[in-house]
C-alpha cells in the first residue's frame, strides 16, 4: 500500500515537470489503449522473431508461450522483420494523429501512456537497427550506441585517465607495470573459493533487507544463484517471469571482495531482479502492457537496466555505510583482514574513475582502429585490468559491442536524473522513492533529463 501511494505521488510530480511538453503529450494521449495494445503485441512478436536470428537478443520473455513457439516454427526472415517493423512504426505515427480521447489536464495515467508510446516507438527503432546490423551493416561505435541504446558516451583523452593513473602510481610506487603492482595489492582481497557462496548469500541478504525497507516487492519474488564458467561476463540475471530470477556468477577469474555487494545489488536487490519484478507487477500485471513481458537486450531498455543496477549499489550502501558493512560482516565472513577494508575501498574509488577507459578501448576496437590484442593492452594500461581480465573484456566487446556504455554512462545518467529530482544522498527516502519510480516506469535514456 505504501508503495502505491508513493508511486502515484511521484508520477504526479513528473506530470507537473512535463507541463511544457503537454501539447505533444495531449496528442499522444489520444491513442486508444486498445490500438496501443495491438501494436504492443506485434512488437513482442517481432522481438521474438528477431530472437530466432540472434541468440543473445531475447534476454527475458514471460508472455504467452504460444507466441514464442510460433516464432520458432515460422522463422520469419530478416527482410520481412524489417518491413514489419517499418509498418508498425508508421502505425504508431498514424495512431498518434488520431484525436485526443479526452481533454483537460494530464493525469499520472496520461503521463504513463505517453511514456509507453515513446518507449515502444524507440524500442522498435532499435530493433530495426539490430536487423540492419545482422544483415551486415557496420555502424561506428557511437552511431551504434545511439541507435541501440538511445545514448552516446563522451570521448575522453588518454590524459584524463593518465591523471588518475598518476595518483595510483603514488599509492603503489615501484618499478614494472602499475597494473602488476595493483594486482599484487589486490591479492589479499580475493574471496576464497570455499567462502564464495556464504559470502554472496550474506551480501544478497543485506541488499534485500535494505531494499525491502523502501520498496514493496511482490511477496512471491525470489531468485536462485548458480556458479558457472567460461563466460565473457562476470554475472548475469536471467529473469524468468513470475517474480523469479536465476542469477549466474562466473568463477573463471578470482572474485574480489567488492564483487559480493556489487553483484548482489546489481543482479539482485535493488538491481535487475527488482527492476524486472516491478515492471512485471506494475506494467504487465496491473496494466496489461504486454510489451514489458519481453526484454530485448540490444535496446534502450538496457541502458536503464544496467544504469539502475549499478546506481542501485550506491542507493543501498551509501557513502561510509558500505565500508562499515564490509569491515564488520563481509571481510570476516570471507576470512579477510577487516582492518584493511577502508584502505581497499579508497583504492577502489580511484580505480573506479578509470571505468570510462573501457568505453575508449571498445570504441577504438569496434571502429577497427585497433585489433583485439591492442585493445587488451589498452585495457591493461588505462583501465588497470590484469591481462586475463582484459582478454575476457575483449571477448565481451566481440559479443556485446557498444553495450559497454550502459554500465558506466547508464549509471551516471541515472544518478543525475535521480539527484535532479531531489534524490540526493542526504535525502535517502526521496532517493529510494525516485529510484523505485524509475524502476516501475517505461522511461527511455533520452528521457532521463
Ligand atoms: Zn547487468
Amino acid at each position: 500500500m505504501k508503495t502505491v501511494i508513493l508511486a502515484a505521488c511521484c508520477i504526479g510530480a513528473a506530470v507537473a515537470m512535463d507541463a511544457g511538453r503537454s501539447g505533444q503529450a495531449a496528442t499522444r494521449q489520444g491513442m486508444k489503449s486498445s490500438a496501443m495494445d495491438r501494436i504492443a503485441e506485434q512488437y513482442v512478436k517481432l522481438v521474438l522473431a528477431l530472437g530466432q536470428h540472434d541468440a543473445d537478443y531475447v534476454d527475458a520473455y514471460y508472455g504467452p508461450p504460444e507466441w514464442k513457439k510460433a516464432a520458432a516454427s515460422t522463422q520469419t526472415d530478416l527482410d520481412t522483420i524489417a518491413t514489419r517493423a517499418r509498418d508498425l512504426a508508421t502505425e504508431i505515427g498514424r495512431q498518434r494523429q488520431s484525436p485526443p480521447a479526452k481533454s483537460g489536464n494530464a493525469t499520472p495515467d496520461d503521463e504513463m501512456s505517453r511514456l509507453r508510446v515513446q518507449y515502444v516507438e524507440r524500442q522498435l527503432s532499435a530493433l530495426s537497427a539490430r536487423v540492419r546490423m545482422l544483415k551486415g551493416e557496420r555502424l561506428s561505435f557511437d552511431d551504434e550506441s545511439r541507435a541501440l541504446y538511445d545514448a552516446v558516451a563522451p570521448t575522453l583523452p588518454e590524459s584524463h585517465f593518465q591523471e588518475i593513473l598518476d595518483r595510483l602510481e603514488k599509492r603503489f610506487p615501484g618499478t614494472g607495470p602499475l597494473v602488476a603492482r595493483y594486482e599484487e595489492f589486490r591479492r589479499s582481497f580475493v574471496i576464497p573459493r570455499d567462502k564464495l557462496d556464504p559470502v554472496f548469500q550474506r551480501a544478497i541478504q543485506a541488499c534485500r533487507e535494505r531494499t525491502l525497507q523502501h520498496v514493496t516487492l511482490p511477496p512471491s519474488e525470489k531468485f536462485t544463484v548458480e556458479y558457472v564458467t567460461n563466460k565473457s561476463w562476470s554475472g548475469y540475471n536471467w529473469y524468468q517471469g513470475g517474480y523469479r530470477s536465476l542469477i549466474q556468477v562466473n568463477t573463471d577469474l578470482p572474485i574480489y571482495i567488492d564483487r559480493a555487494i556489487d553483484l548482489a545489488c546489481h543482479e539482485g536487490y535493488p538491481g535487475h531482479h527488482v527492476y524486472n519484478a516491478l515492471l512485471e507487477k506494475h506494467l504487465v500485471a496491473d496494466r496489461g502492457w504486454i510489451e514489458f513481458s519481453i526484454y530485448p537486450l540490444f535496446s534502450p531498455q538496457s541502458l536503464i537496466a544496467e544504469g539502475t543496477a549499478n546506481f542501485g549499489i550506491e542507493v543501498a550502501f551509501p557513502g561510509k555505510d558500505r565500508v562499515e558493512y564490509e569491515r564488520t560482516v563481509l571481510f570476516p565472513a570471507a576470512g579477510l583482514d577487516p582492518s584493511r577494508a577502508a584502505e581497499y575501498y579508497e583504492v577502489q574509488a580511484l580505480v573506479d574513475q578509470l571505468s570510462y577507459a573501457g568505453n575508449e578501448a571498445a570504441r577504438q576496437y569496434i571502429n577497427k582502429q585497433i585489433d583485439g590484442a591492442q585493445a587488451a593492452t589498452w585495457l591493461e594500461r588505462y583501465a588497470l585490468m590484469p591481462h586475463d581480465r582484459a582478454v575476457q573484456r575483449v571477448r565481451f566487446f566481440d559479443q556485446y559491442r557498444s553495450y559497454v556504455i550502459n554500465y558506466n554512462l547508464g549509471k551516471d545518467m541515472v544518478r543525475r536524473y535521480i539527484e535532479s529530482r531531489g534524490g540526493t544522498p542526504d535525502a535517502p527516502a526521496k532517493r529510494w522513492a525516485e529510484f523505485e519510480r524509475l524502476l516501475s516506469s517505461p522511461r527511455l535514456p533520452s528521457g532521463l533529463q
Side-chain angles (χ1 to χ4, degrees):
M1 183 59 80
K2 185 181 164 209
T3 310
V4 174
I5 293 164
L6 273 174
C9 168
C10 295
I11 290 163
V15 172
M17 283 193 69
D18 281 339
R21 285 175 268 164
S22 61
Q24 195 182 19
T27 311
R28 286 180 174 162
Q29 285 142 23
M31 185 181 296
K32 290 185 183 66
S33 70
S34 58
M36 195 55 211
D37 290 344
R38 281 198 301 277
I39 288 168
E41 179 177 331
Q42 293 311 310
Y43 159 78
V44 173
K45 288 176 175 173
L46 275 179
V47 174
L48 288 170
L50 188 51
Q52 296 298 313
H53 299 268
D54 179 353
D56 291 323
Y57 190 61
V58 180
D59 195 75
Y61 177 64
Y62 52 88
E66 61 272 21
W67 294 1
K68 192 175 174 181
K69 279 190 209 125
S73 61
T74 311
Q75 294 290 324
T76 309
D77 63 67
L78 289 173
D79 286 333
T80 307
I81 294 172
T83 306
R84 286 185 189 162
R86 205 166 40 239
D87 291 348
L88 203 52
T90 308
E91 173 69 4
I92 298 178
R94 203 171 60 76
Q95 287 290 335
R96 268 219 245 105
Q97 304 309 318
S98 64
K102 58 188 172 196
S103 56
N105 293 331
T107 67
D109 262 2
D110 295 333
E111 163 71 357
M112 285 294 276
S113 297
R114 183 178 69 81
L115 290 177
R116 181 192 193 194
V117 176
Q118 285 177 344
Y119 174 89
V120 176
E121 207 168 22
R122 191 63 190 79
Q123 290 282 113
L124 201 54
S125 111
L127 178 142
S128 296
R130 187 67 186 169
V131 171
R132 293 199 303 276
M133 287 170 67
L134 290 170
K135 287 177 69 182
E137 187 174 321
R138 308 301 294 183
L139 297 174
S140 72
F141 183 85
D142 288 342
D143 286 346
E144 180 186 305
S145 79
R146 187 183 295 108
L148 297 183
Y149 309 116
D150 199 27
V152 174
T155 301
L156 297 169
E158 288 170 10
S159 58
H160 168 84
F161 305 109
Q162 192 57 53
E163 239 171 73
I164 301 157
L165 291 170
D166 289 345
R167 286 156 70 191
L168 283 157
E169 276 285 351
K170 287 198 185 97
R171 175 64 187 72
F172 299 111
T175 54
L178 175 61
V179 64
R181 282 172 268 149
Y182 169 57
E183 268 316 282
E184 178 58 34
F185 162 78
R186 272 190 117 193
R187 206 158 290 154
S188 311
F189 302 95
V190 174
I191 306 173
R193 186 66 185 84
D194 63 321
K195 301 265 174 47
L196 205 49
D197 192 54
V199 168
F200 267 127
Q201 296 300 342
R202 291 292 286 273
I204 290 164
Q205 190 192 349
C207 294
R208 187 169 184 274
E209 280 169 8
R210 283 161 184 251
T211 301
L212 285 175
Q213 282 173 21
H214 301 274
V215 180
T216 303
L217 293 176
S220 56
E221 65 80 21
K222 70 178 250 197
F223 72 70
T224 44
V225 180
E226 267 181 20
Y227 298 91
V228 298
T229 54
N230 198 26
K231 304 290 178 191
S232 67
W233 36 257
S234 55
Y236 212 113
N237 176 307
W238 303 98
Y239 191 67
Q240 323 268 292
Y243 314 122
R244 309 286 165 101
S245 290
L246 167 65
I247 292 178
Q248 292 185 323
V249 177
N250 182 5
T251 58
D252 282 343
L253 298 175
I255 298 183
Y256 298 93
I257 189 67
D258 53 293
R259 294 300 287 154
I261 287 289
D262 282 1
L263 277 175
C265 283
H266 180 105
E267 308 295 347
Y269 307 90
H272 293 324
H273 174 67
V274 169
Y275 174 56
N276 284 297
L278 291 178
L279 288 182
E280 182 173 0
K281 170 75 179 72
H282 295 295
L283 303 187
V284 181
D286 291 354
R287 292 177 182 266
W289 290 358
I290 195 69
E291 65 272 31
F292 292 96
S293 67
I294 197 157
Y295 171 13
L297 192 68
F298 305 110
S299 74
Q301 190 179 358
S302 279
L303 185 134
I304 303 291
E306 302 299 357
T308 51
N310 270 352
F311 180 64
I313 302 166
E314 293 174 22
V315 177
F317 287 90
K320 293 200 168 70
D321 259 31
R322 167 86 184 254
V323 179
E324 192 51 22
Y325 181 78
E326 300 270 2
R327 187 179 68 77
T328 54
V329 180
L330 290 189
F331 271 60
L336 305 180
D337 179 359
S339 70
R340 299 191 67 192
E343 173 195 2
Y344 181 69
Y345 281 96
E346 273 165 29
V347 171
Q348 283 310 109
L350 263 180
V351 174
D352 283 350
Q353 292 180 37
L354 296 170
S355 92
Y356 278 68
N359 296 358
E360 298 305 328
R363 181 185 281 112
Q364 293 174 51
Y365 179 59
I366 298 298
N367 290 347
K368 297 198 183 300
Q369 292 160 325
I370 54 175
D371 64 18
Q374 289 169 313
T377 304
W378 213 93
L379 287 168
E380 287 172 51
R381 164 136 194 222
Y382 290 103
L384 229 48
M385 287 184 191
H387 183 71
D388 43 6
R389 200 168 292 273
V391 168
Q392 185 191 60
R393 188 57 55 93
V394 175
R395 276 179 67 199
F396 187 95
F397 296 165
D398 283 329
Q399 192 171 359
Y400 299 108
R401 302 172 56 86
S402 63
Y403 193 92
V404 291
I405 70 152
N406 293 327
Y407 298 100
N408 43 32
L409 180 65
K411 174 180 165 182
D412 289 343
M413 286 172 70
V414 167
R415 183 194 292 109
R416 276 196 295 272
Y417 175 75
I418 300 286
E419 293 188 351
S420 74
R421 303 175 72 82
T424 49
D426 57 353
K430 177 76 171 156
R431 196 166 169 90
W432 273 103
E434 287 295 339
F435 187 65
E436 180 183 11
R437 197 177 68 85
L438 177 59
L439 290 177
S440 311
S441 73
R443 195 165 286 276
L444 288 163
S446 53
L448 292 178
Q449 297 158 13

